[in-house]
Amino acid sequence: EAMRRAKLSGKIGAALDPCAATQVIIELQDGEEREVIFRLGAGVNATDAGNTARRFRGAAAAGESLKKVKEYWKRTLGSVQIETPDMPLNFLTNGWLNYQTLACRLWARSGFYQSGGAYGFRDQLQDSISLMHAKPETARAQILRCASRQFKEGDVQHWWHPPIGRGVRTRCSDDYLWLPYAVGRYVIATGDTGILDEQAGYLEGRALSYGEESYYDLPIRSDLSETLYKHCIKAIDYGLKFGRHGLPLMGSGDWNDGMDKVGEQGKGESVWLGFFLYDTIRKFLEGARLHADAETIKRYEEQAAQLQKNIEQHAWDGSWYRRAYFDDGTPLGSSSNDECKIDSIAQSWSVLSGAADIARAKKGMEEAYRRLVRKDPGLIQLFDPPFDNSALNPGYIKGYVPGVRENGGQYTHAAIWLVMAFAALRDKRRAWELLKMINPVHHGLTAEAIAVYKVEPYVIAADVYAIAQHTGRGGWTWYTGSAGWMYQLILESFIGLKRHAQILVFEPCLPPEWTTVKVDYTYEDTLYHILIIQDGSRGDEMIIAVDGAEKPTRSIGLVNDFIEHTVKVWAPVSRE
């Protein structure tokens, strides 16, 4: 609009457009250059804003500010750089994914499709997990921030607005479990056991009434403060509530909020939550062992073993794992259902959690691949068929058009988990096929492709439509936790770099036809140049050479000695 006007009006006020344009008129002689600096900022009041504006006046201040920004992103996004034969994969991994997670998810907490500004308890915890390699201190801060939003009873605020902290208390059944899950992942990855002894306070608020799914309020700060370790125990203990099949209660939705009616009477059970709870306990036990907490270890090992038995006894449908049970015991995600016969996340987490019988897990994954992967439009459905006309009422998910968002479209979180599961099974062919399929860059390589996809191909979209007239169209971009999971998929499941404190483990799941992959990996202030070689020259045993010294191993020790190191990894070439 400003480019169409010779002069701007300078008017501000009610009913005018909620945006602004600044216009500077200059004349350039042939070969002449002019630098124009725009400053945009905020202050607590007009005086503060004015002082800040004066402090940053002039080319020198602006240049120094820009330099600092560039250095920050170079250091942050450059901490891990990959070079593979697939340029779209390199492009996405080497900058955009962590940028999306940091700038949009953790800082702005806002996007075109959701301009909220709130912290989601489970949302930003998942985001922070992806930063264990690049910004572990950010993950640490987010974990402690979330611990302070836990109620004394063990449940948490589903989301809240800083700085006051007003938010919503719900019966969602997975929120609070993401705290011990993230803590377990963080301690394993960084070796920072000190975080377990950090103190965090609790919230106090009225309990949810019978039949009440949620309420929005400003809770008060409790006088009680305990270690993060005890916060995690309180969260897990709060989740040890089971239904008639010995599976965790669904509450007003698990990871899939849209299934808020499955357990509205307090009896419905979640199969996915059974897998997730098992995995959370298993990961948190690492911290319990470091604490030499024998009583907790014994209790949780018994709970996990019983949960595993209940899953195998009551969750298997014959060819795949069910998704849930309604309050009245009706199964969901079963061959007996007309809609939502098979759900992706029950199959992927049967593998990722390690809780399932491996033969059953593989069979469920085969069925998920056959029934949910749609190769032509390049998407992976969350479940199929979508909810439409059946008598089942799982919740507000049924309000979405069939094939859109959670209702049978591609929900990218779940698509990524499915690819992770194929990588965990060492199915290299399918892992690469599906990773390439869900990479948004591949949806924008041609004018024809972008005409279908319609959204930014350089960031992850939360969903892709599977409905006939819009098949392949991207949905909610930028503000999605799928970016963080995509980074984990590429770096840890696919490239195969897994950090365990000061140890870097190599478990590549690369296409057999890829002969080399390069990774520049920064550990604190030390750079490791890593070359993964798949040429079959070293047989079936992995060989690693650090600065020329070879040894048969799958890992290297990380040392912050400020010296650049060269690492060669000869990976076995299997046709898995």
Side-chain angles (χ1 to χ4, degrees), residues 465-490:
Y465 298 171
I467 187 172
Q469 60 268 43
H470 299 294
T471 301
R473 177 172 180 170
W476 183 317
T477 60
W478 277 104
Y479 197 56
T480 166
S482 302
W485 281 107
M486 188 71 162
Y487 190 77
Q488 294 176 68
L489 164 61
I490 295 168

Side-chain angles (χ1 to χ4, degrees), residues 295-309:
E295 181 183 344
T296 296
I297 293 169
K298 182 175 183 295
R299 184 162 62 91
Y300 283 168
E301 284 179 342
E302 291 173 351
Q303 288 282 356
Q306 185 59 52
L307 179 57
Q308 191 174 27
K309 290 179 182 178

Side-chain angles (χ1 to χ4, degrees), residues 474-543:
W476 183 317
T477 60
W478 277 104
Y479 197 56
T480 166
S482 302
W485 281 107
M486 188 71 162
Y487 190 77
Q488 294 176 68
L489 164 61
I490 295 168
L491 190 62
E492 299 180 4
S493 299
F494 185 67
I495 304 295
L497 302 187
K498 299 179 181 179
R499 185 178 157 195
H500 296 172
Q502 283 72 50
I503 302 294
L504 192 63
V505 180
F506 297 91
E507 296 179 356
C509 187
L510 303 171
E513 61 270 20
W514 286 12
T515 55
T516 60
V517 166
K518 295 179 181 178
V519 182
D520 279 349
Y521 188 94
T522 303
Y523 171 66
E524 296 183 1
D525 304 297
T526 301
L527 178 60
Y528 287 80
H529 299 288
I530 301 168
L531 177 64
I532 301 174
I533 304 166
Q534 284 196 143
D535 60 4
S537 62
R538 305 305 291 266
D540 295 329
E541 188 176 21
M542 181 174 284
I543 304 290

Side-chain angles (χ1 to χ4, degrees), residues 135-415:
K135 298 284 289 182
E137 67 276 14
T138 300
R140 192 182 205 273
Q142 186 59 35
I143 286 170
L144 294 173
R145 180 181 292 116
C146 284
S148 71
R149 310 314 298 178
Q150 183 181 34
F151 291 96
K152 289 197 303 181
E153 293 79 4
D155 61 325
V156 300
Q157 284 185 305
H158 185 61
W159 53 258
W160 73 94
H161 277 107
I164 296 174
R166 192 181 298 275
V168 62
R169 190 175 192 177
T170 74
R171 295 188 190 276
C172 285
S173 55
D174 73 315
D175 276 338
Y176 41 87
L177 290 175
W178 286 102
L179 180 64
Y181 179 87
V183 168
R185 288 283 304 272
Y186 174 82
V187 170
I188 292 169
T190 66
D192 176 14
T193 57
I195 194 174
L196 298 171
D197 298 317
E198 293 280 2
Q199 291 282 322
Y202 290 96
L203 300 177
E204 292 185 21
R206 72 169 180 85
L208 287 157
S209 304
Y210 178 78
E212 185 180 26
E213 287 189 5
S214 65
Y215 70 82
Y216 177 72
D217 198 7
L218 177 63
I220 63 172
R221 297 274 186 178
S222 173
D223 293 332
L224 177 64
S225 178
E226 292 185 315
T227 64
L228 178 64
Y229 182 74
K230 290 187 176 179
H231 275 262
C232 292
I233 288 176
K234 189 160 287 193
I236 292 174
D237 287 348
Y238 192 82
L240 300 178
K241 299 184 179 74
F242 306 102
R244 71 184 74 176
H245 299 99
L247 301 174
L249 294 176
M250 184 86 164
S252 58
D254 52 16
W255 170 83
N256 194 330
D257 296 343
M259 294 183 173
D260 59 327
K261 298 299 182 185
V262 173
E264 64 176 338
Q265 296 171 25
K267 297 178 181 179
E269 299 163 282
S270 168
V271 172
W272 171 81
L273 190 60
F275 288 126
F276 181 61
L277 175 59
Y278 177 91
D279 195 34
T280 297
I281 291 173
R282 191 177 66 164
K283 285 182 169 57
F284 181 70
L285 280 172
E286 296 285 334
R289 292 185 183 99
L290 291 168
H291 259 58
D293 188 351
E295 181 183 344
T296 296
I297 293 169
K298 182 175 183 295
R299 184 162 62 91
Y300 283 168
E301 284 179 342
E302 291 173 351
Q303 288 282 356
Q306 185 59 52
L307 179 57
Q308 191 174 27
K309 290 179 182 178
N310 294 340
I311 289 171
E312 289 307 311
Q313 186 175 353
H314 298 293
W316 183 247
D317 195 62
S319 294
W320 57 81
Y321 284 98
R322 294 169 183 163
R323 176 63 176 84
Y325 285 97
F326 284 87
D327 289 306
D328 64 358
T330 300
L332 179 63
S334 166
S335 58
S336 64
N337 299 132
D338 294 327
E339 297 168 353
C340 190
K341 284 180 177 289
I342 180 171
D343 191 295
S344 165
I345 66 172
Q347 316 319 314
S348 57
W349 278 83
S350 75
V351 175
L352 297 175
S353 67
D357 173 84
I358 189 62
R360 286 181 169 182
K362 286 182 176 180
K363 187 173 178 58
M365 290 291 292
E366 286 291 332
E367 291 293 335
Y369 181 85
R370 185 169 70 89
R371 295 168 177 266
L372 300 176
V373 173
R374 298 181 57 180
K375 297 184 181 183
D376 186 38
L379 60 88
I380 304 171
Q381 290 178 264
L382 176 58
F383 59 75
D384 192 65
F387 291 109
D388 191 9
N389 298 313
S390 76
L392 293 178
N393 180 22
Y396 76 77
I397 189 173
K398 204 169 181 177
Y400 290 124
V401 175
V404 172
R405 290 187 64 79
E406 290 100 325
N407 193 11
Q410 173 178 296
Y411 210 72
T412 310
H413 254 85

Side-chain angles (χ1 to χ4, degrees), residues 72-73 99 101-110 119 135 138:
Y72 174 86
W73 285 116
Y99 180 80
T101 296
L102 272 169
C104 183
R105 293 286 296 177
L106 285 167
W107 294 349
R109 300 185 301 282
S110 183
Y119 280 110
K135 298 284 289 182
T138 300

